[in-house]
Amino acid sequence: MSGQETSPSGANKSQSLPGQPGPVAPDGLRGLPVPATAEGRTGLAALLDDPRHALVAVDFDGTLAPIVPDPAAARALPAAVTALRELAPLIGTLAVVTGRPAGTAVEYGSLDRVPGIVVLGAYGRQRWHDGQLETPPAPEGLAVARERLPGILADAGAPDGTWIEDKDDALAVHTRRAADPVAALEQVRAPLLKLAADTDLRAEPGRLVIELRPAGADKGTALTELARQRQRSAIMFCGDDLGDLPAFAAVRRLRAEGLPGLAVCSGSAEVTNLAREADLVVDGPEGVAAFLAGIAADIGRSSAKVRNS
């Protein structure tokens, strides 16, 4: 991570849960995992100091919800939904930024139970807020890719277990169900990259998946636009996959402009490169849920002290 402290992948993990003794950062943070970088510690401290002007955004799959073989079976952890509900009245803006359609994320995450949350789906092309969904029409190239994709996979000899997930605004080719998922993904990679180029789409790699989606939409752009809609005290983004790298980069760019920020990786054995780009690594969706709950508890304790002083 250019210009920042770095550590080996996974070295900044912490098992501390809310309410348990945890490592103590130089700035006095207690009961929370301590970011490995000075910039991350500053970002977390700024968020806790002025939460009502902060932006907290999280990915969905692999961050709020465990990765499962069938994406239609993914559901946010109940502990994660509870943590979001606890954070909602305390944070200036609470958001989910995902590659899924916004409405699907709301359904699978029970996000309609989280007051005021903003859900940016399809990498920011769709927006759901207070029950209202805004979505632009899909580009023409997506319809062409949808028609050609089955034949291209057949011509490439895609192994059994390779399948297409149609997200309306994107097409995802999964290999997790194949006998050798990594080899299957490599077998179809070149034909998918060519199809993306031929149809003016972007090919986005992920956890045993390659997604074809409209160009110009990514989580970094979505996060930056959300951050600039109002004055912020701090920004935090939690993600788990290669598609979250643009959001991590956006946090760094905003920090360079003077906005304290923190990038949190939902750690996994499948994606280790992301951990090297993060200020803090937690143990998967369970770790994210515990971290969010810990932030809510810390803010709640601070608010109680102010009221009682």
Side-chain angles (χ1 to χ4, degrees):
M1 196 159 39
S2 177
Q4 299 180 15
E5 298 174 27
T6 59
S7 61
S9 177
N12 50 346
K13 287 186 179 180
S14 170
Q15 300 297 326
S16 299
L17 297 175
Q20 294 181 338
V24 179
D27 50 19
L29 299 174
R30 293 181 182 272
L32 291 170
V34 177
T37 66
E39 295 91 342
R41 292 191 291 273
T42 298
L44 180 55
L47 189 159
L48 297 175
D49 184 59
D50 187 6
R52 294 197 178 279
H53 293 94
L55 166 60
V56 171
V58 296
D59 177 37
F60 185 80
D61 291 284
T63 303
L64 294 179
I67 296 294
V68 292
D70 181 1
R75 295 295 184 272
L77 293 175
V81 179
T82 297
L84 291 175
R85 286 174 57 84
E86 292 170 348
L87 274 174
L90 306 173
I91 296 294
T93 301
L94 187 61
V96 170
V97 184
T98 175
R100 283 188 181 269
T104 301
V106 171
E107 177 186 355
Y108 291 2
S110 299
L111 300 179
D112 53 346
R113 296 173 50 206
V114 182
I117 195 168
V118 176
V119 181
L120 301 181
Y123 297 89
R125 279 173 49 84
Q126 300 177 355
R127 180 186 178 105
W128 182 95
H129 182 238
D130 288 342
Q132 299 298 315
L133 177 64
E134 301 173 10
T135 181
E140 293 181 4
L142 192 62
V144 175
R146 181 176 288 112
E147 180 180 352
R148 294 175 54 187
L149 186 53
I152 285 174
L153 292 179
D155 291 343
D160 290 343
T162 304
W163 66 284
I164 302 167
E165 178 189 8
D166 194 329
K167 298 182 177 183
D168 293 333
D169 206 60
L171 300 164
V173 178
H174 296 265
T175 62
R176 186 175 296 275
R177 299 174 185 171
D180 187 339
V182 175
L185 194 67
E186 287 306 310
Q187 188 166 338
V188 301
R189 184 182 301 276
L192 291 179
L193 293 178
K194 185 177 186 305
L195 176 60
D198 290 345
T199 54
D200 293 324
L201 298 175
R202 178 171 176 173
E204 183 73 47
R207 295 172 67 168
L208 301 176
V209 62
I210 295 176
E211 185 168 295
L212 306 182
R213 57 182 174 85
D218 65 57
K219 293 181 182 179
T221 300
L223 188 64
T224 299
E225 291 177 352
L226 193 59
R228 288 178 171 160
Q229 288 175 5
R230 64 182 68 176
Q231 187 173 355
R232 303 290 180 186
S233 60
I235 182 172
M236 183 177 82
F237 181 80
C238 305
D240 78 301
D241 204 351
L242 299 177
D244 297 310
L245 282 172
F248 280 21
V251 170
R252 293 195 295 272
R253 284 194 302 271
L254 290 166
R255 281 200 304 225
E257 296 174 8
L259 177 64
L262 173 68
V264 179
C265 174
S266 174
S268 73
E270 288 183 349
V271 184
T272 57
N273 289 342
L274 195 71
R276 290 191 284 270
E277 298 294 325
D279 301 296
L280 173 68
V281 180
V282 297
D283 288 323
E286 294 83 0
V288 171
F291 184 48
L292 295 176
I295 290 174
D298 186 284
I299 296 170
R301 286 192 296 270
S302 297
S303 299
K305 288 180 181 179
V306 171
R307 289 194 301 269
N308 295 330
S309 61

